[in-house]
Amino acid sequence: MLNLRSDIEPEKNIVTESQKDNFVINLNLQNQESAFQLVRETTNQFAICSVTEKTYKTIVHRHPLLLLSVPKSLVYLREKGYKTFHPYINESYDNELDDQKRLNMVLQETKRLCSLTGKDLEEFLAETKKICTFNYNLLINKT
């Protein structure tokens, strides 16, 4: 089982800007390798999709990711040629326009992923590894 640590309490449905900026999630397998990463991408007041080193670092490290950013950020990544992790990660949050709802959807999916064990976890890791390798190769070949 994966362990989830966070300074955000989704049950209270209250997340301050400070908490968003300090969001820390620690997902460890027994061997200290993370099964996925939650990336809080840089956002702006104009809700323009952009990808920074935060996302690219995750791709270089070949990790599956949930991308907490402006709506349609995963669409933006797919337009750039990258694959995302549907159906292994529920990416419906990417279509949500309301910031609070989108955050809560990401947290719910994080909890679901953290509860994966046994064959479900093995399948998740095996299938997402293929996508991670594709994305890594795409990024390396673009640079």
Side-chain angles (χ1 to χ4, degrees):
M1 178 178 275
L2 300 174
N3 296 318
L4 172 64
R5 282 187 7 205
S6 171
D7 62 346
I8 294 176
E9 299 178 35
E11 302 81 36
K12 292 183 180 178
N13 202 24
I14 299 170
V15 181
T16 66
E17 283 301 315
S18 174
Q19 286 173 314
K20 287 181 186 178
D21 290 338
N22 295 318
F23 190 77
V24 177
I25 191 161
N26 184 7
L27 303 167
N28 290 320
L29 292 172
Q30 188 173 6
N31 62 0
Q32 300 299 315
E33 293 181 13
S34 61
F36 67 95
Q37 291 185 1
L38 175 57
V39 177
R40 183 173 186 273
E41 192 54 88
T42 302
T43 57
N44 56 64
Q45 65 183 355
F46 305 109
I48 298 171
C49 290
S50 64
V51 177
T52 69
E53 79 286 349
K54 296 171 189 174
T55 298
Y56 289 124
K57 180 179 174 183
T58 304
I59 292 170
V60 166
H61 288 273
R62 300 177 200 183
H63 286 246
L65 64 93
L66 282 97
L67 186 58
L68 185 54
S69 187
V70 298
K72 307 295 183 187
S73 293
L74 295 175
V75 171
Y76 177 81
L77 276 177
R78 287 191 293 271
E79 288 172 351
K80 298 290 182 191
Y82 295 97
K83 293 182 180 180
T84 60
F85 297 94
H86 176 78
Y88 311 104
I89 294 176
N90 179 352
E91 298 176 338
S92 62
Y93 65 86
D94 193 49
N95 296 317
E96 179 56 57
L97 300 178
D98 181 273
D99 291 340
Q100 186 65 48
K101 288 180 183 176
R102 189 170 53 262
L103 173 61
N104 288 336
M105 292 170 77
V106 168
L107 292 175
Q108 285 304 113
E109 183 60 6
T110 300
K111 283 183 175 183
R112 186 191 71 80
L113 293 172
C114 288
S115 71
L116 294 177
T117 58
K119 291 197 183 282
D120 292 334
L121 179 58
E122 289 174 22
E123 178 185 0
F124 172 82
L125 294 172
E127 295 301 323
T128 58
K129 182 178 181 179
K130 297 172 192 174
I131 297 169
C132 291
T133 300
F134 174 89
N135 289 342
Y136 172 83
N137 290 330
L138 180 64
L139 178 61
I140 295 304
N141 290 326
K142 284 185 173 187
T143 58

